[in-house]
């Protein structure tokens, strides 16, 4: 609780605006953020005081600054939170109500975007007891003007009502929820510098709980109380100043409240803070690397200080310790779910105990974090973690032992990274800490992506997570030495950013690690191969026709045996899942699983020629149809019209579903549209059966675009008697069940799409949506590549561009215009990028050589529009 230091100088709204402009100009030159936030608070105080007097409130009530404004740190576009404190007398309150309304209105009229509350002292206490957010805001209360005695009454009542223990527990729970909202990592590529883990909010939590416990109002007070070392005090102040400077610049660059360090603001932010591009790194990369290191330090400092404050608030509980059972664990104890050491100098005396700390952490189920003592001891022992320490056979054995643990490995590696131990043990890893990835499907820095992939591999092994990916869990349960996959995850992207092929460079790192850690020849070969080939399976599954036996046989030849195939499949699933929540979906999962199963059949030596595959698919489909009481003769006419490619490219369940709806409509004159919940678990599967027409695919895409549906996969087939039999996997926000039912959505799609195909209206103009902010920042050069196949029957059209609404319809419309039919379509969305492959009928293209060039030109124009 404090009193304003507002000068007697009074300003009006115009004066405030002019003074702000001057303050902003000075800040841009000096980057003195402390001076700026205090100036803005002081100027706001002066105008509010003037408005208070103008409304005749004077000493009848009290005007109080709360929240960040109460702290006296007002950022350029921060909320201005105020409290109008009223006397307890109801008659006085009634008489003041019009003046208070006038005051609040005049604040908005002058351009002050205030967040206001009007309460008596008792109402403040009551509200704060019910809402932790209100309690936190009032903790920062500062008198601006008005009746001082009323403010003193409030301060006294608030302090008496404050329970430091419950406040601490509430803020800790709130922080856990906030961190979870931001994926528990500071390392997203567009972090929130205020709310993300390691942001300003983590520093404010320290201030709030220490203030509530009467331990001090500043970090310096905590240092004097013995809770913060001098080194930690320096770190706290330096990182707070950096984050506040960054936030102030963000506000000024955006011209509004902006706390997310968005891609398009990173380069101008670096320039504003005096960071220039050099030969080795872009300025945006340099500023973000500084941010990640600051956020990493803040995360650790937050952990250390909250532990120290908790020990003061709950002294009895903090004294209760338990030894850690096991040979070699005599230096470790457990205290209230935290792993601690018996001697703060342990790592100085016995550096080999550094890695043992993380082994003990992984082995001890009830510990959730490391103690402040351990974090400090690790920092103080950083010079001990040198080449000699890395080469120590004890440490090498301990590192492998950590990787082999049945539980706690992911958490141990996260803590190893946070405490910089991982980077000191693996120098190659240290190089990619905080390194950005300039693409549109990774949303984490390289080090965080690696740890996410490691986590995903580990989750396959944990019983509690088998429901997420049961097939992967089943495979890894029978995989010899599953811990090798954890090593592969750790090294698969470790060489990014060095220039050259990171897969090959990483392979060399992997070989060196395996040799130093005594892995046998067979395991070393597998690990080197996995790092070198880790992109192969996803590329084949997403860019090639995996229903083509030749494609599967070529892939199987690269795999060599089941062990290599299974290892690559598990690593690939973990890797794709670890890029971004947007990139993974059930359809990608199905493609990878289908490729795995098809390849396994080849490797198993089973007959894999087209005739055996055809017979197997057909027999499985017949069995399913018999369950519906449909005899084999009923659909002979339909199946006669379907060629081998159809049966090879469809699952038996899909063949049965399509047959069930079409066997008695083989020569129908009306379009048949059928939809169902997709068997893959997300979105809808839609089938269209209609007499073929040149613009059919474009008409279907136009319908999907109109309703905001995304096409994950399209399987285009033309029957022997000239009918199109096309199936689509679609998703979209409109498919979310919001009070209605999927049955209603399915009926609507079936009806509307049938109508769209029945009407012969001209194709509508495409409504190409705007590029996303990420795509504008990291634009993708549109690419179009068209080549004929060996037999000259088809042309393969490969397209790459930034994703946007209506893109596929635009492409299909260009093809329809030139009467070029699509035989098959493989739709592939990687975050904000699309890589589509269309197989085009060569009939018109073969007759007109110039048409290929014309098509490529028009498609490039459409993709770049």
């Amino acid at each position: 609780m404090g009193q304003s230091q507002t000068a007697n100088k009074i300003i009006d709204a115009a004066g405030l605006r002019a003074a702000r402009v001057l303050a902003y100009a000075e800040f841009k030159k000096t980057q003195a953020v402390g001076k700026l936030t205090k100036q803005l608070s002081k100027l706001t105080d002066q105008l509010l005081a003037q408005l208070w007097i103008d409304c005749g409130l004077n000493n009848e009530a009290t005007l109080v600054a709360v929240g960040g404004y109460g702290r006296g740190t007002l950022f350029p576009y921060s909320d201005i939170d105020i409290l109008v404190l009223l006397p307890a007398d109801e008659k006085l309150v009634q008489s003041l109500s019009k003046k208070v309304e006038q005051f609040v209105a005049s604040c908005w009229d002058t351009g002050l975007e205030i967040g206001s509350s009007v309460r008596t002292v008792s109402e403040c206490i009551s509200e704060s007891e019910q809402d932790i957010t209100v309690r936190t805001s009032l903790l920062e209360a500062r008198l601006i003007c008005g009746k001082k005695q009323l403010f003193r009454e409030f301060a006294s009542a608030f302090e008496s009502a404050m329970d430091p223990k419950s406040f601490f527990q509430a803020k800790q729970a709130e922080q856990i929820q906030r961190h979870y909202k931001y994926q528990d990592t500071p390392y997203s590529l567009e972090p929130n510098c205020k709310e993300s883990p390691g942001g300003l909010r983590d520093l404010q939590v320290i201030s709030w709980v220490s203030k509530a416990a009467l331990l001090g109002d500043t970090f310096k007070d905590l240092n004097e109380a013995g809770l913060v070392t001098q080194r930690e005090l320096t770190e706290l102040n330096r990182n707070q100043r950096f984050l506040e400077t960054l936030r102030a610049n963000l506000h000024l660059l955006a011209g509004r409240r902006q706390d997310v360090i968005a891609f398009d603001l990173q380069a101008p932010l670096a320039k504003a803070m005096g960071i220039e591009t050099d030969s080795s790194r872009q300025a945006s990369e340099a500023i973000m690397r500084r941010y990640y290191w600051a956020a990493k330090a803040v995360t650790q400092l937050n952990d250390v200080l909250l532990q120290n404050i908790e020990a003061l608030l709950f002294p009895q509980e903090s004294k209760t310790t338990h030894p850690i059972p096991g040979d070699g664990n005599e230096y470790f104890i457990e205290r209230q779910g935290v792993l601690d050491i018996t001697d703060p100098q342990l790592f100085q005396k016995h550096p080999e105990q550094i890695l043992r700390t993380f082994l003990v952490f992984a082995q001890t189920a009830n510990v959730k974090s490391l103690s402040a003592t351990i974090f400090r001891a690790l920092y103080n022992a950083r010079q001990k973690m040198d080449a000699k320490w890395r080469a120590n056979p004890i440490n090498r054995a301990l590192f492998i032992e950590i990787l082999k643990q049945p539980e706690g490995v992911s958490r141990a590696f996260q803590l190893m990274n946070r405490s910089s131990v991982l980077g000191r043990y693996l120098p190659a890893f240290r190089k990619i800490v905080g390194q950005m990835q300039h693409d549109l499907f990774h949303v984490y820095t390289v080090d965080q992506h690696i740890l996410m992939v490691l986590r995903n591999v580990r989750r396959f092994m944990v019983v509690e997570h088998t429901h997420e990916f049961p097939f992967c869990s089943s495979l890894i349960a029978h995989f010899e030495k599953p811990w090798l996959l954890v090593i592969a995850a750790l090294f698969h992207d470790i060489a990014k950013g060095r220039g050259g092929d990171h897969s090959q460079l990483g392979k060399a790192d992997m070989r060196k690690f395996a040799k130093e850690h005594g892995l046998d020849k067979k395991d070393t070969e597998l690990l080197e191969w996995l790092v070198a080939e880790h992109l192969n399976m996803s590329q084949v599954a997403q860019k090639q026709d995996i229903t083509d036996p030749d494609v599967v046989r070529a892939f199987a030849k690269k795999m060599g045996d089941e062990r290599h195939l299974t290892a690559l499949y598990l690593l690939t699933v973990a890797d794709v899942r670890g890029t971004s929540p947007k990139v993974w979906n059930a359809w990608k999962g199905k493609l990878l699983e289908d490729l795995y199963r098809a390849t396994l059949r080849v490797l198993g030596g089973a007959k894999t020629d087209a005739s055996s595959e055809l017979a197997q698919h057909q027999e499985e489909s017949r069995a399913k149809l018999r369950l519906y009481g449909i005899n084999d003769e009923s659909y002979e006419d339909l199946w006669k019209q379907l060629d081998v490619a159809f049966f090879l490219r469809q699952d038996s369940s899909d063949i049965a579903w399509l047959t069930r709806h079409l066997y008695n409509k083989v020569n129908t004159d009306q379009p048949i549209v059928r939809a169902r919940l997709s068997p893959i678990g997300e979105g809808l599967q839609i089938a269209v059966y209609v007499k073929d027409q040149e613009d059919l695919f474009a008409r279907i895409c136009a319908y999907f675009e109109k309703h905001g549906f995304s096409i994950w996969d399209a399987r285009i087939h033309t029957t022997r008697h000239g009918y199109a039999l096309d199936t689509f996997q679609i998703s979209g926000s409109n498919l979310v069940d919001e009070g209605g039912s999927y049955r209603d959505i399915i009926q609507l799609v079936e009806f509307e799409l049938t109508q769209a195909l029945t009407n012969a209206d001209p194709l509508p103009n495409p409504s190409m949506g705007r590029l996303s902010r990420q795509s504008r920042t990291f634009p993708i050069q549109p690419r179009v590549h068209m080549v004929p196949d060996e037999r000259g029957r088809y042309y393969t059209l490969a397209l790459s561009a930034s994703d946007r609404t209506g893109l596929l319809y635009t492409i299909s419309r260009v093809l329809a215009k030139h009467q070029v039919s699509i035989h098959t379509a493989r739709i592939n969305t990687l975050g904000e990028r699309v890589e589509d492959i269309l197989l085009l009928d060569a009939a018109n293209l073969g007759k007109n050589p110039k048409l290929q060039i014309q098509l490529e030109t028009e498609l490039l124009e459409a993709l770049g529009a």
Side-chain angles (χ1 to χ4, degrees):
M1 304 289 168
Q3 293 202 6
S4 173
Q5 301 298 313
T6 305
N8 292 327
K9 180 182 176 185
I10 300 297
I11 61 171
D12 57 13
L16 174 65
R17 286 192 292 273
R20 278 178 173 173
V21 169
L22 291 174
Y24 296 160
E26 183 182 358
F27 169 72
K28 287 175 183 177
K29 290 179 183 176
T30 65
Q31 295 291 295
V33 71
K35 184 177 180 181
L36 172 68
T37 57
K38 285 180 175 61
Q39 274 182 312
L40 295 179
S41 297
K42 186 177 179 180
L43 290 166
T44 305
D45 285 354
Q46 291 170 358
L47 180 54
L48 285 170
Q50 180 61 54
L51 296 174
W52 185 265
I53 293 167
D54 291 346
C55 293
L57 285 161
N58 301 320
N59 286 323
E60 294 176 332
T62 308
L63 181 60
V64 181
V66 293
Y69 177 38
R71 274 196 308 278
T73 53
L74 198 58
F75 288 84
Y77 291 93
S78 287
D79 292 336
I80 301 168
D81 293 323
I82 59 170
L83 164 67
V84 177
L85 203 54
L86 298 175
D89 190 317
E90 288 187 20
K91 289 183 180 179
L92 275 175
V93 170
Q94 289 177 2
S95 66
L96 290 171
S97 61
K98 286 189 177 180
K99 292 181 181 179
V100 171
E101 287 175 14
Q102 183 186 347
F103 168 73
V104 171
S106 62
C107 288
W108 284 98
D109 290 344
T110 55
L112 291 177
E113 295 187 9
I114 60 168
S116 59
S117 55
V118 182
R119 300 188 183 107
T120 63
V121 171
S122 62
E123 287 171 342
C124 286
I125 303 306
S126 176
E127 287 289 328
S128 70
E129 287 175 346
Q130 295 173 39
D131 189 334
I132 186 64
T133 306
V134 173
R135 203 182 327 166
T136 306
S137 182
L138 293 178
L139 185 64
E140 307 275 21
R142 174 175 59 84
L143 174 66
I144 298 175
C145 60
K147 194 173 183 179
K148 293 180 180 179
Q149 178 58 33
L150 190 56
F151 180 77
R152 285 193 286 269
E153 287 175 21
F154 158 76
S156 176
F158 185 81
E159 187 175 310
S160 299
M162 173 63 78
D163 178 358
K165 291 184 178 181
S166 66
F167 183 77
F168 177 90
Q169 291 170 329
K171 295 311 292 183
Q172 200 170 43
E174 190 180 65
Q175 178 172 283
I176 290 169
Q177 290 176 355
R178 174 170 53 82
H179 283 186
Y180 181 76
K181 179 183 175 184
Y182 290 94
Q183 291 80 49
D184 256 330
T185 176
Y187 303 112
S188 66
L189 296 188
E190 292 187 303
N192 186 309
C193 69
K194 181 182 177 185
E195 301 287 349
S196 289
L200 280 167
R201 187 67 86 204
D202 281 9
L203 292 173
Q204 289 164 2
V205 168
I206 298 167
S207 297
W208 290 330
V209 296
S210 58
K211 196 169 187 176
L214 303 179
L215 296 172
D217 293 347
T218 65
F219 295 141
K220 187 177 180 182
D221 293 336
L222 295 179
N223 172 246
E224 291 171 356
L227 293 168
V228 177
T229 66
Q230 189 59 45
R231 191 270 304 177
E232 288 165 347
L233 175 62
T234 302
E235 287 273 304
L236 283 165
N237 287 329
R238 182 174 72 238
N239 288 309
Q240 182 178 41
R241 187 165 55 251
F242 171 75
L243 292 173
E244 287 183 344
T245 304
L246 191 143
R247 187 182 185 213
N249 278 297
L250 272 177
H251 281 209
L252 293 176
L253 285 168
R256 56 183 170 80
R257 180 176 174 176
Q258 172 73 29
D259 296 329
V260 174
I261 313 175
F263 286 129
D264 51 342
L265 292 174
Q266 289 171 6
L269 179 64
K271 184 177 181 182
M273 296 179 69
I275 297 172
E276 302 292 338
T277 297
D278 60 32
S279 57
S280 63
R281 183 172 294 150
Q282 294 180 24
S284 59
E285 289 183 44
I287 188 69
M288 292 309 297
R289 189 148 195 162
R290 278 185 62 182
Y291 171 81
Y292 295 127
W293 281 96
K296 181 179 175 183
V298 167
T299 303
Q300 189 162 314
L301 289 164
N302 172 274
D303 201 344
V304 167
L305 281 151
L306 291 186
Q307 282 187 36
N308 289 343
I309 294 168
E310 185 176 24
L312 273 180
L313 291 173
F314 303 90
Q316 203 60 42
E317 292 89 334
S318 65
K319 289 177 183 176
T320 306
T321 63
H322 303 280
I324 304 292
D327 294 338
N329 294 345
E330 62 271 15
Y331 296 111
F332 298 93
I333 55 174
E334 180 264 328
R335 179 188 288 110
Q336 295 297 302
V338 173
L339 184 67
D340 206 351
I341 49 179
T342 55
D343 179 4
Q345 300 300 313
L346 175 64
F347 303 143
Q348 299 282 354
K349 299 172 185 175
H350 304 287
E352 70 279 1
Q353 295 296 328
I354 291 172
L355 285 181
R356 181 169 290 280
T357 302
F358 298 96
L359 176 60
V360 174
F361 176 83
Q363 290 174 333
T364 312
N366 60 325
V367 298
K368 306 302 179 191
S369 184
L370 303 180
S371 70
T373 306
I374 288 180
F375 279 127
R376 284 171 171 165
L378 288 171
Y379 179 84
N380 293 331
R382 63 194 184 282
Q383 302 304 329
K384 296 283 184 180
M385 292 181 261
D386 54 13
K388 182 181 176 183
W389 174 77
R390 288 190 286 273
N392 188 328
I394 295 174
N395 288 328
R396 287 177 173 173
L398 282 168
F399 192 81
I400 295 295
E401 195 63 26
I402 294 168
L403 289 163
K404 291 181 177 180
Q405 292 307 300
E407 302 283 347
V409 176
S410 301
R411 294 185 299 121
F413 271 86
Q414 288 285 358
L415 284 171
M416 287 170 77
N417 188 36
R418 193 201 296 182
S419 57
S420 297
V421 172
L422 184 55
R424 291 186 180 277
Y425 186 75
L426 296 175
F429 191 89
R430 187 174 177 84
K431 292 176 184 177
I432 48 93
V433 171
Q435 181 177 309
M436 297 186 68
Q437 306 196 66
H438 290 286
D439 58 47
L440 294 173
F441 50 96
H442 285 88
V443 298
Y444 305 112
T445 55
V446 181
D447 58 319
Q448 184 61 22
H449 165 67
I450 285 175
L451 293 179
M452 288 290 284
V453 176
L454 185 151
R455 184 207 71 157
N456 292 341
V457 169
R458 286 288 314 165
R459 283 170 86 95
F460 297 153
M461 305 179 196
V462 179
V463 174
E464 289 78 9
H465 297 296
T466 53
H467 65 281
E468 295 177 344
F469 290 86
F471 185 55
C472 292
S473 295
S474 172
L475 289 176
I476 210 164
H478 298 93
F479 190 83
E480 183 190 6
K481 300 181 183 177
W483 53 272
L484 291 172
L485 299 178
V486 182
I487 299 177
L490 191 58
F491 277 85
H492 80 287
D493 274 353
I494 205 166
K496 274 197 169 180
R498 292 191 211 163
D501 184 343
H502 77 277
S503 298
Q504 292 303 315
L505 294 171
K507 178 182 177 181
D509 289 339
M510 186 71 265
R511 184 186 305 119
K512 181 173 182 287
F513 175 91
K515 183 180 178 182
E516 291 173 347
H517 290 77
L519 301 185
D520 66 34
K521 186 176 179 181
K522 180 182 173 185
D523 294 342
T524 299
E525 182 277 326
L526 175 65
L527 288 170
E528 286 184 41
W529 181 85
L530 282 172
V531 173
E533 300 292 331
H534 73 272
L535 297 173
N536 195 329
M537 192 170 195
S538 62
Q539 289 175 343
V540 171
Q542 296 179 48
K543 296 182 181 181
Q544 297 186 40
D545 183 1
I546 60 174
T547 61
D548 184 338
D550 290 341
V551 170
V552 177
R553 276 194 289 269
F555 181 70
K557 189 176 180 181
K558 281 190 174 182
M559 297 301 100
D561 58 40
E562 183 179 345
R563 187 175 189 236
H564 284 72
L565 171 65
T566 300
L568 185 59
Y569 170 70
L570 292 168
L571 180 61
T572 302
V573 174
D575 188 15
V576 178
R577 281 186 69 209
T579 55
S580 161
K582 289 183 179 180
V583 170
W584 179 264
N585 58 45
W587 181 246
K588 285 186 173 64
K590 184 178 186 301
L591 289 175
L592 289 170
E593 186 175 334
D594 287 351
L595 177 57
Y596 174 85
R597 292 183 184 278
T599 308
L600 190 60
R601 286 195 292 272
V602 174
L603 292 173
K607 290 183 179 180
T608 55
D609 57 84
S611 60
S612 63
E613 287 278 314
L614 173 65
Q616 181 182 347
H617 278 218
Q618 287 185 336
E619 186 49 46
E620 289 174 357
S621 304
R622 290 183 197 280
K624 289 180 171 65
L625 286 164
R626 288 172 195 139
L627 294 175
Y628 288 97
I630 302 174
N631 60 51
D632 297 0
E633 295 76 23
S634 300
Y635 46 85
E636 276 185 8
D637 288 346
L638 175 65
W639 279 24
K640 283 177 184 175
Q641 305 302 334
L642 304 173
D643 60 21
V644 172
F646 172 83
F647 289 102
L648 292 179
R649 295 185 73 235
Q650 304 286 350
D651 289 339
S652 58
S653 60
D654 289 342
I655 295 168
W657 177 62
L658 293 168
T659 303
R660 192 157 51 90
H661 287 291
L662 300 176
Y663 75 93
N664 56 355
K665 302 179 181 68
V666 179
N667 297 301
T668 180
D669 291 328
Q670 297 300 313
I672 305 295
V673 178
R674 292 293 179 264
R676 64 174 176 172
L677 286 175
S678 177
I680 64 172
E682 291 180 35
L684 295 182
Q685 184 177 24
I686 296 173
V688 175
Y689 183 72
V690 65
K691 284 184 178 178
D692 199 15
Q693 55 194 72
E694 288 165 351
D695 62 359
L696 178 63
F697 187 72
R699 288 190 179 279
I700 296 170
C701 289
Y703 173 78
F704 290 151
E705 181 210 334
K706 177 183 175 183
H707 291 276
F709 298 149
S710 298
I711 303 173
W712 281 349
D713 184 65
R715 297 195 174 187
I716 314 301
H717 185 78
T718 305
T719 67
R720 290 189 171 100
H721 67 318
Y723 276 71
L725 177 49
D726 303 341
T727 57
F728 300 86
Q729 295 280 348
I730 68 166
S731 70
S733 57
N734 290 1
L735 298 182
V736 177
D737 190 357
E738 296 178 355
S741 71
Y742 270 109
R743 185 171 297 173
D744 295 336
I745 296 170
I746 287 168
Q747 289 176 349
L748 185 68
V749 169
E750 289 179 343
F751 173 76
E752 289 187 344
L753 185 51
T754 301
Q755 291 297 110
L757 297 177
T758 303
N759 297 331
D761 298 333
L763 288 171
N765 290 324
S767 55
M768 286 283 277
R770 292 183 61 200
L771 287 173
S772 69
R773 180 172 43 76
Q774 290 94 329
S775 296
R776 291 197 301 274
T777 307
F778 299 125
I780 293 171
Q781 182 66 34
R783 297 186 185 280
V784 175
H785 184 60
M786 192 185 303
V787 291
D789 66 6
E790 293 177 357
R791 300 173 187 173
R793 291 181 60 197
Y794 301 104
Y795 277 73
T796 300
L797 172 62
L799 303 149
S800 179
S802 297
D803 193 20
R804 60 173 79 180
T805 306
L807 183 64
L808 189 58
Y809 172 54
T810 303
I811 294 165
S812 62
R813 195 168 180 270
V814 171
L815 296 174
K817 171 185 167 185
H818 294 285
Q819 300 179 332
V820 175
S821 300
I822 300 172
H823 184 67
T824 63
R826 178 165 295 280
I827 314 303
N828 189 27
T829 305
L830 299 168
E832 303 290 334
R833 187 179 82 206
V834 295
E835 292 187 356
D836 298 341
I837 297 175
L838 309 179
L839 198 63
L840 308 179
D841 194 306
N844 282 353
L845 286 165
K847 295 175 188 173
N848 184 358
K850 291 183 179 179
L851 181 57
Q852 179 177 343
I853 298 171
Q854 189 175 351
L855 265 181
E856 289 181 341
T857 303
E858 290 186 23
L859 286 169
L860 274 173
E861 289 175 0
L863 294 176

